Amino acid sequence: MESQHPSSHDDTCNPGSCRKSHHPEKVKNNLISRLNRIEGQIRGVKKMIDNDIYCDDILNQIAAIQSALNSVGKILLEGHMRSCVVERLQEGDLEVIDELMITIKKLMK
Amino acid sequence: MESQHPSSHDDTCNPGSCRKSHHPEKVKNNLISRLNRIEGQIRGVKKMIDNDIYCDDILNQIAAIQSALNSVGKILLEGHMRSCVVERLQEGDLEVIDELMITIKKLMK
Amino acid sequence: MESQHPSSHDDTCNPGSCRKSHHPEKVKNNLISRLNRIEGQIRGVKKMIDNDIYCDDILNQIAAIQSALNSVGKILLEGHMRSCVVERLQEGDLEVIDELMITIKKLMK
Amino acid sequence: MESQHPSSHDDTCNPGSCRKSHHPEKVKNNLISRLNRIEGQIRGVKKMIDNDIYCDDILNQIAAIQSALNSVGKILLEGHMRSCVVERLQEGDLEVIDELMITIKKLMK
């Protein structure tokens, strides 16, 4: 709850300023390579539509992308909870729960 | 939509060979422009991760992409049902239901 | 496929009157026993809440019920497609697709 | 937050023993009445199946139950986060995140 975070903290979680993520490099690389693959899949679907590929095959590809995107969401959510949510709660900032619930509800819909 | 398909059309829906989609140009353009937007959103998320943008903002973007992708899936599914599924069923090819159920189950999971 | 449905048919699928389901007895029994189990699970959750059982355990039970209910939905959808949807389409009633898409969109949301 | 919980507290959240929920009476009543309604809906679906009601109507009812159950899950999850998760994190028990992530993944699937 104390507000004198030293400057080295200004990119990490503290009440009011927890506006940056800080995934370890390994997690970041994992996420980026998953997103690169998803981007390629989206481009693939565009080509399939352009080439009149059979819809059922395209729909299966869409289901695969949804599942890949869902995995990215879970990794991000877990990272968020383990860093920012934990730190803000430990500092007594309960508003992080309001924000988190709004986000989880969107992801659960 | 006229019924005198020249031979060049034997790649459209008929029992056994319904292995092409045939969305009207307007639907195709709609799908492609939605997919372009999704591709841009994916690239945006990669940039957000690279720049350590706050996770909660990224998660909200992920939820928006999921919803956009879901819409693409529904448009494709509807087009598929109105063309290929209808034609194959009207020709007595019930196997199209087996295939459709497998796909819908993936999309409903 | 003939269109002169005798009166004994008026509870099955034909254009305009397909307002009854006709699952085989075996499927019906399967569905009823699944729904009995789900009803028991709902009652179990009420007891858990009454007895202040740990929320995480209740949430896991909720996830199990969702999955069981999803299975019931898939069995019903498959039965619906294999009977009513097929018959109405084979009789040229394309409106069944409008109706089916509305329902599938609700189940996919 | 101190560790000498008087005996009256041994059913609430503290490291290791947070094995009880403690929803306020008002939330409990809300949840129970939602679950009563869901139980009634499940019984209604059984009657619909018994009476060969049109599948599409039953499927719409299933979608409504899924949505009602989803709401119960969100209320429970929010209550869980605001009580037990917050308390355990403030006491430094990070394992609650492992458990919570497993549960959220089930609810998000």
Side-chain angles (χ1 to χ4, degrees):
Chain A
M1 209 65 78
E2 353 67 321
S3 47
Q4 331 81 305
H5 292 294
S7 61
S8 72
H9 251 74
D10 60 6
D11 60 349
T12 57
C13 273
N14 54 58
S17 82
C18 179
R19 292 286 136 200
K20 285 263 183 181
S21 77
H22 34 122
H23 294 296
E25 214 53 36
K26 208 176 118 189
V27 174
K28 263 173 138 177
N29 291 342
N30 178 5
L31 287 167
I32 298 291
S33 84
R34 283 171 185 268
L35 288 161
N36 281 335
R37 222 173 308 135
I38 291 172
E39 203 188 326
Q41 286 173 304
I42 298 284
R43 266 198 298 268
V45 168
K46 286 194 295 182
K47 239 175 267 164
M48 289 168 104
I49 289 172
D50 251 344
N51 295 339
D52 292 318
I53 297 299
Y54 185 49
C55 288
D56 187 74
D57 295 333
I58 308 183
L59 283 166
N60 275 283
Q61 190 61 11
I62 296 282
I65 302 174
Q66 281 175 328
S67 166
L69 197 59
N70 214 12
S71 295
V72 168
K74 285 172 183 171
I75 294 169
L76 277 164
L77 181 62
E78 184 153 9
H80 181 49
M81 300 233 288
R82 290 195 187 287
S83 57
C84 203
V85 174
V86 167
E87 289 175 44
R88 283 173 64 179
L89 284 178
Q90 284 177 340
E91 281 159 338
D93 174 9
L94 291 174
E95 272 170 43
V96 70
I97 298 286
D98 301 340
E99 184 193 88
L100 183 61
M101 279 311 302
I102 291 170
T103 304
I104 287 178
K105 282 174 188 171
K106 284 183 195 162
L107 294 169
M108 268 177 70
K109 89 186 151 307
Chain B
M1 223 58 78
E2 349 72 317
S3 47
Q4 329 82 306
H5 292 299
S7 61
S8 72
H9 252 74
D10 59 5
D11 60 352
T12 55
C13 271
N14 53 57
S17 82
C18 180
R19 291 287 136 199
K20 284 264 183 182
S21 79
H22 34 122
H23 293 296
E25 213 54 36
K26 209 177 117 188
V27 175
K28 263 174 139 176
N29 291 342
N30 179 7
L31 287 167
I32 298 291
S33 84
R34 284 171 184 269
L35 287 161
N36 281 335
R37 223 173 308 137
I38 291 172
E39 205 187 324
Q41 287 173 303
I42 298 284
R43 267 198 297 266
V45 168
K46 287 194 295 182
K47 239 174 271 165
M48 290 168 104
I49 289 173
D50 252 345
N51 296 339
D52 292 317
I53 297 299
Y54 184 49
C55 289
D56 187 74
D57 296 333
I58 308 183
L59 283 166
N60 276 283
Q61 190 61 11
I62 296 281
I65 302 174
Q66 281 175 326
S67 165
L69 197 60
N70 214 11
S71 295
V72 168
K74 284 172 184 171
I75 294 169
L76 277 165
L77 180 61
E78 183 154 10
H80 181 49
M81 299 232 289
R82 290 195 188 285
S83 56
C84 203
V85 174
V86 167
E87 290 175 44
R88 282 173 66 180
L89 284 178
Q90 285 176 339
E91 282 159 336
D93 174 9
L94 292 174
E95 272 170 43
V96 71
I97 298 285
D98 300 340
E99 183 193 88
L100 183 61
M101 279 310 303
I102 291 171
T103 303
I104 287 177
K105 283 174 188 172
K106 285 184 195 162
L107 294 169
M108 270 177 68
K109 95 191 142 308
Chain C
M1 216 73 67
E2 352 70 319
S3 47
Q4 329 82 306
H5 293 296
S7 62
S8 73
H9 253 72
D10 59 6
D11 61 348
T12 56
C13 272
N14 54 58
S17 82
C18 180
R19 291 286 136 200
K20 285 264 182 181
S21 78
H22 34 122
H23 293 296
E25 214 53 36
K26 208 177 119 189
V27 175
K28 264 174 138 174
N29 291 342
N30 178 6
L31 287 167
I32 297 291
S33 86
R34 283 172 185 269
L35 287 160
N36 281 335
R37 223 173 307 137
I38 291 172
E39 204 188 324
Q41 286 173 303
I42 297 284
R43 266 198 298 267
V45 167
K46 287 195 295 184
K47 239 174 268 164
M48 289 169 104
I49 289 172
D50 252 345
N51 295 339
D52 292 318
I53 297 300
Y54 184 50
C55 288
D56 187 75
D57 296 333
I58 309 184
L59 283 166
N60 275 283
Q61 190 61 11
I62 297 282
I65 302 175
Q66 281 175 327
S67 165
L69 197 59
N70 213 11
S71 295
V72 168
K74 284 171 183 173
I75 294 168
L76 277 165
L77 181 62
E78 183 154 9
H80 182 49
M81 299 233 289
R82 291 195 187 285
S83 57
C84 204
V85 174
V86 167
E87 290 176 44
R88 282 173 66 179
L89 285 178
Q90 285 177 339
E91 281 159 337
D93 174 9
L94 291 174
E95 273 170 43
V96 71
I97 297 286
D98 300 340
E99 184 193 87
L100 182 61
M101 278 310 302
I102 292 170
T103 304
I104 287 177
K105 282 174 187 171
K106 284 184 195 161
L107 294 169
M108 268 177 71
K109 86 181 152 311
Chain D
M1 225 65 69
E2 351 69 321
S3 48
Q4 326 83 304
H5 293 296
S7 61
S8 73
H9 252 72
D10 59 7
D11 60 348
T12 56
C13 273
N14 53 58
S17 83
C18 179
R19 291 285 137 203
K20 284 264 184 181
S21 79
H22 34 122
H23 294 296
E25 213 53 36
K26 209 176 117 189
V27 175
K28 264 174 138 176
N29 292 342
N30 178 6
L31 286 167
I32 298 291
S33 85
R34 283 171 185 268
L35 287 162
N36 281 335
R37 222 172 309 135
I38 291 172
E39 203 187 325
Q41 286 173 303
I42 297 285
R43 267 198 297 267
V45 168
K46 285 195 296 183
K47 238 175 270 164
M48 289 169 105
I49 289 172
D50 251 346
N51 296 340
D52 291 318
I53 297 299
Y54 184 50
C55 288
D56 187 74
D57 296 334
I58 308 183
L59 282 166
N60 276 283
Q61 190 60 11
I62 296 281
I65 302 174
Q66 281 175 327
S67 165
L69 196 60
N70 214 12
S71 296
V72 168
K74 285 172 183 171
I75 295 168
L76 277 165
L77 180 61
E78 183 154 8
H80 181 48
M81 300 232 288
R82 290 195 188 287
S83 57
C84 203
V85 174
V86 167
E87 291 175 43
R88 284 173 64 180
L89 284 178
Q90 285 177 340
E91 281 159 339
D93 174 10
L94 291 174
E95 273 170 42
V96 71
I97 298 286
D98 301 340
E99 185 193 88
L100 182 61
M101 278 310 302
I102 292 169
T103 304
I104 288 177
K105 283 174 188 172
K106 284 184 195 161
L107 294 169
M108 268 177 69
K109 92 189 148 306

